[in-house]
Amino acid sequence: MCREGIDLVTLKVALKHSADRLEQETDHLRQWSALASNVNLGDVSTLLQEALERVSGGEELVAGCVRALAGLQVQGPSSAGTGVTITPV
């Protein structure tokens, strides 16, 4: 899903949507884990809890990217020499 010439706003919005989907998945995993626990499937519930922790960590990282891009959008590109030029729209 990478394309040349992607602008800052498009990338930020796409990542925001990804973070939102990950948040929904954490809610689903939490519910499935509770259900598995309620029907005495402790091993499955434990695995789902581990998956929940991992997905939650990914959600936090993606949300951090969104915040960083929002900051770039407000400030404009830095002169740190990252090799990427982002032009705020």
Side-chain angles (χ1 to χ4, degrees), residues 32-53:
W32 288 121
S33 177
L35 177 66
S37 180
N38 287 341
V39 294
N40 296 322
L41 295 172
D43 292 342
V44 172
S45 179
T46 300
L47 288 172
L48 289 171
Q49 282 294 327
E50 184 178 338
L52 173 62
E53 289 174 16

Side-chain angles (χ1 to χ4, degrees), residues 3 5-12 69-70 72-77 85-89:
R3 64 179 193 185
I6 190 166
D7 63 288
L8 178 65
V9 174
T10 302
L11 180 59
K12 183 184 73 173
L69 289 169
L72 282 174
Q73 187 178 1
V74 172
Q75 296 175 356
T85 302
I86 300 173
T87 305
V89 178

Side-chain angles (χ1 to χ4, degrees), residues 16-37:
K16 175 66 174 135
H17 289 171
S18 292
D20 291 345
R21 286 192 306 273
L22 288 170
E23 182 179 5
Q24 289 176 335
E25 287 306 317
T26 59
D27 290 340
H28 293 161
L29 286 170
R30 192 174 288 111
Q31 292 172 12
W32 288 121
S33 177
L35 177 66
S37 180

Side-chain angles (χ1 to χ4, degrees), residues 51-71:
L52 173 62
E53 289 174 16
R54 291 181 183 189
V55 172
S56 294
E59 176 198 349
E60 291 170 12
L61 290 172
V62 173
C65 291
V66 171
R67 287 188 298 274
L69 289 169

